[in-house]
Amino acid sequence: MDLKRICACCNGSKTEVIENDALFLDNGPWTVLYYADSKVRSDLEVEQERDEIRRSFKEGARKSQCEDMANKVTFDYYFNRSINELVRIVHELQPVVLHLACHGEKDGSITIGGRTMKPDELAERLSSIVDECKLRLVVLNFCFSGIAARKLMDRVDFVIGHETEVDDQDAVTFAKHLYYFLGNNKTLREAVKCTRPA
């Protein structure tokens, strides 16, 4: 797996003034929202990825003695829903992390909930609610998601995406490692750096 293809975009103007940019700074509770196309429609291992990120997060928290923090984190999962529902659910749940898993195309478009949309539309729909919620990290775990990541980086503290095509199992492995280090309550920059090879 070549994780050098992963890009981590951050809005430096927001994060430079924060000494500790760990996601879980206050007393919680916090929500991680995992939103994916269905396995039947996408033929992606979305259920495996869902299970791995939660398991890895808990393991990372246990190994770094951050279990009190981890117990305040809720993982919510939605499959095969529309982008309209995504916007509503983000508004209702107020997640600190939004994790999207679906198919992406070379032009940056995605297919989710049976509908294809361009990266501009995805960014516009998410941007419409970002200022009203706690969202700090968006993980775009699909092929060519770097295009959408760049469109979102002015609205969210951290956006993580893939610059090229990514194998399904590589995407699951990347997510597993990222959430392990988030469970350690490392800063966002450290978690991404630890996830990527030297």
Side-chain angles (χ1 to χ4, degrees):
M1 173 176 58
D2 180 13
L3 287 178
K4 291 180 182 173
R5 297 180 300 181
I6 306 303
C7 74
C9 307
C10 68
N11 182 345
S13 63
K14 286 186 179 182
T15 57
E16 282 177 4
V17 296
I18 300 171
E19 285 183 31
N20 181 358
D21 68 4
L23 287 176
F24 312 109
L25 289 175
D26 60 24
N27 292 326
W30 306 281
T31 300
V32 173
L33 174 58
Y34 179 83
Y35 202 88
D37 217 353
S38 69
K39 178 174 175 48
V40 172
R41 184 188 310 271
S42 67
D43 200 32
L44 297 172
E45 295 298 332
V46 291
E47 288 91 357
Q48 177 192 358
E49 184 173 347
R50 172 201 61 196
D51 296 343
E52 291 285 354
I53 65 173
R54 184 171 186 188
R55 186 178 311 118
S56 293
F57 182 83
K58 297 285 186 185
E59 179 185 346
R62 183 181 53 77
K63 288 192 176 178
S64 62
Q65 300 179 346
C66 293
E67 291 162 303
D68 288 342
M69 173 273 299
N71 290 333
K72 295 177 185 175
V73 177
T74 303
F75 285 78
D76 282 312
Y77 310 101
Y78 292 87
F79 295 97
N80 200 29
R81 303 285 183 94
S82 71
I83 194 68
N84 291 336
E85 289 177 284
L86 171 62
V87 170
R88 181 186 55 79
I89 291 167
V90 168
H91 183 71
E92 289 174 5
L93 295 180
Q94 296 287 306
V96 70
V97 178
L98 170 61
H99 185 113
L100 287 177
C102 58
H103 277 295
E105 302 298 328
K106 283 186 177 183
D107 67 354
S109 62
I110 67 164
T111 301
I112 194 158
R115 181 170 175 261
T116 299
M117 72 175 54
K118 299 289 184 191
D120 287 329
E121 183 182 356
L122 174 65
E124 181 180 318
R125 298 302 300 274
L126 290 177
S127 294
S128 69
I129 57 162
V130 161
D131 293 335
E132 303 168 18
C133 67
K134 302 176 187 178
L135 190 61
R136 295 212 43 230
L137 171 63
V138 176
V139 179
L140 302 174
N141 206 16
F142 51 87
C143 297
F144 307 104
S145 55
I147 296 168
R150 283 186 290 284
K151 300 212 180 270
L152 282 169
M153 63 188 275
D154 289 336
R155 303 304 302 246
V156 181
D157 289 346
F158 285 84
V159 183
I160 298 172
H162 300 275
E163 287 294 349
T164 62
E165 187 172 8
V166 61
D167 177 77
D168 190 22
Q169 282 305 309
D170 288 348
V172 171
T173 300
F174 165 73
K176 177 180 168 182
H177 292 302
L178 175 67
Y179 282 88
Y180 174 86
F181 290 110
L182 291 177
N184 284 175
N185 208 21
K186 290 194 176 293
T187 68
L188 291 167
R189 292 174 198 269
E190 288 175 326
V192 171
K193 186 177 178 182
C194 291
T195 303
R196 295 172 71 170

